[in-house]
Amino acid sequence: MEASSSDSDCTKYWIDWFLGAQGNEFFCEIDDEFLSDRFNMTGLNTEVVYYQYALNLIMDAFEYDCDDSTREQIERSARHLYGLIHARYILTQRGLQKMLDKFKNGDFGVCPRVQCQKHAVLPIGLSDVPHSAPVKIFCMKCEDVYNPPLARFATIDGAYFGTSFPFLLFQAYPHLIPNKIAPDRFVPAMFGFKIHEHARLARWQNVKRLEMTKRLEQYEEEERRRKRIR
């Protein structure tokens, strides 16, 4: 089957197409040298279906004549393979530099926490195992993890960025670590006056009182049930 003009364009410039697709803004371009080194691909052939075809597609060397169904599976494998390679690449010096540039450009967005004053964030995975959780964003200022603000990122696998990337980047560029000596904290107040600690204690007591009431009701219900059984 001959490839259509759109297919050939996609094959010739596959990485450009992938990076330009909506929802893939968090990814950086992987160098050809990294993709050509077999050592960097160690173990990936057991994790990706149509591994060699998918790698050839990524490297613009795809020449396999196949039907539409097989082509779709290879395309899906190529996207997954690129993500797995990406997780390894961004831990290298070159990969860290590229992600640093995106970080400085604000490509990953800002922290949704008001007190962080729109501090830039980094993508992070909650697991290094694929298909475990979608990508999240990490803020070094408050040291917390959030869902990305746009729904299109919900389909991106967190394993394509890994659990270590943000911390390795800040270790490589320690001058980027924000000052946390006096972190801004939101202080609850009423009419400009800070809420007294007794108010917090009263709220805690109310919660505990409700928990105790619920436990007593459950105990009484169990006692009535036992009596009926007897």
Side-chain angles (χ1 to χ4, degrees), residues 82-209:
Y82 190 89
L84 296 177
I85 299 172
H86 185 269
R88 298 181 178 186
Y89 177 70
I90 60 176
L91 300 182
T92 66
Q93 183 177 359
R94 178 63 177 157
L96 286 172
Q97 181 61 55
K98 287 190 176 183
M99 295 297 275
L100 174 62
D101 292 339
K102 293 175 69 67
F103 173 72
K104 290 181 176 179
N105 290 334
D107 292 351
F108 307 124
V110 297
C111 181
R113 182 176 177 269
V114 174
Q115 297 296 87
C116 285
Q117 300 176 342
K118 297 184 177 181
H119 191 273
V121 296
L122 289 166
I124 188 173
L126 300 183
S127 173
D128 293 314
V129 179
H131 313 303
S132 297
V135 66
K136 307 295 181 182
I137 52 176
F138 170 76
C139 175
M140 191 62 179
K141 190 167 186 179
C142 63
E143 296 185 337
D144 213 341
V145 175
Y146 304 90
N147 288 320
L150 301 178
R152 63 174 179 260
F153 297 120
T155 59
I156 304 300
D157 200 319
Y160 297 162
F161 300 89
T163 58
S164 303
F165 158 65
F167 314 108
L168 186 60
L169 185 139
F170 285 116
Q171 186 175 13
Y173 304 99
H175 64 281
L176 296 176
I177 300 176
N179 189 355
K180 301 187 193 121
I181 296 177
D184 294 329
R185 302 291 298 178
F186 177 75
V187 179
M190 294 178 62
F191 305 107
F193 295 97
K194 181 179 177 181
I195 296 178
H196 199 276
E197 288 296 324
H198 284 310
R200 185 180 300 175
L201 176 61
R203 289 197 299 271
W204 179 83
Q205 290 174 334
N206 286 334
V207 171
K208 294 301 177 183
R209 188 179 295 110

Side-chain angles (χ1 to χ4, degrees), residues 222-230:
E222 291 176 359
E223 284 296 313
R224 287 194 292 269
R225 191 180 297 111
R226 290 195 193 97
K227 290 180 180 179
R228 287 197 297 269
I229 294 174
R230 291 175 186 173

